[in-house]
Amino acid sequence: MNINQYIDHTLLKPGTTERQIIDLCNEAKKYEFYAVCVNSSYVALAKQLLSKTSVKVVSVVGFPLGAMATEAKVFEAKNAVNDGADEIDMVINIGFLRSKNYVAVFKDILDVKTAIGKIPLKVIIEISELSKNEIVKICEICLDAKVDYIKTSTGFSKSGATLTAVKIIKKIIKDQAKIKASGGIKDLETALKYIDAGADRIGTSSGVAMMTDKMSTP
């Protein structure tokens, strides 16, 4: 298994410097990760640094709370694509979902999906904030909106991905969408467990450690 091709090499802390983005992209090139995942303000820089490679640039949108106006998410997504983003990871409006305002949740996702066209959309559902029934419901809404991936977590809430949640998501979506497990996945053994559970992509800031671990394993 080429674990590197499952990894979105991620750096989303608010204090991230340009130098750290340069280092992130250099690591992604060295280990041939699938993508880097950055805040939208750094998309243009990341795209420039990775322009002659196969490494894709993923931009988060509405991150990390998801509570801003849909129009703001749409603008951020379109701007990120114009700056060179190859994929968009957007955060749902958790409050709308918990209010059972499912029409607003659907519109929030669909408007971003429509705005970015054929660019893959991953929808971050923030599982730590949801009940099992709410996870089921948001997965159904995501399928209705024809999203490309359902992503477990921002990594900025009280906890990240769980194997249980990934299995629940997989059971609902089957092969109609893909899964990105993200948040708290810090070693190779854990990453492989998520892939076995149904994850198609791993969002992690520990990709280099995973690759080092892989190379040291007989």
Side-chain angles (χ1 to χ4, degrees), residues 89-154:
D89 289 17
M90 72 166 283
V91 186
I92 65 163
N93 191 309
I94 301 163
F96 284 173
L97 180 68
R98 297 187 73 182
S99 300
K100 295 183 170 56
N101 189 349
Y102 303 134
V103 173
V105 176
F106 175 76
K107 184 179 183 299
D108 190 53
I109 297 167
L110 186 64
D111 283 4
V112 173
K113 176 69 176 168
T114 302
I116 64 176
K118 294 181 180 179
I119 298 290
L121 177 65
K122 305 193 205 79
V123 174
I124 307 171
I125 65 173
E126 200 70 284
I127 59 169
S128 64
E129 300 296 321
L130 306 179
S131 67
K132 181 181 177 181
N133 287 341
E134 286 166 341
I135 292 173
V136 171
K137 187 63 184 179
I138 187 59
C139 286
E140 292 170 349
I141 292 170
C142 284
L143 290 180
D144 287 343
K146 293 181 168 54
V147 309
D148 299 279
Y149 284 78
I150 294 173
K151 179 176 172 182
T152 61
S153 320
T154 61

Side-chain angles (χ1 to χ4, degrees), residues 45-90:
L45 174 59
K47 191 65 176 181
Q48 178 186 350
L49 293 165
L50 297 168
S51 61
K52 296 178 180 178
T53 75
S54 62
V55 181
K56 298 186 183 302
V57 177
V58 179
S59 175
V60 291
V61 163
F63 194 88
L65 301 178
M68 57 289 298
T70 297
E71 292 81 2
K73 292 180 184 178
V74 167
F75 179 87
E76 186 179 17
K78 290 169 73 173
N79 192 69
V81 170
N82 288 338
D83 281 348
D86 299 294
E87 299 180 355
I88 297 295
D89 289 17
M90 72 166 283

Side-chain angles (χ1 to χ4, degrees), residues 9-11 16-33 35-38 42 45-46 49-50 55 205 207-208:
H9 193 36
T10 303
L11 186 54
T16 298
T17 64
E18 292 181 1
R19 179 70 251 175
Q20 288 173 308
I21 294 295
I22 293 169
D23 290 344
L24 182 84
C25 291
N26 286 336
E27 289 165 353
K29 286 190 281 188
K30 178 179 178 181
Y31 293 104
E32 298 181 331
F33 291 133
V36 296
C37 185
V38 298
Y42 280 131
L45 174 59
L49 293 165
L50 297 168
V55 181
S205 57
V208 172

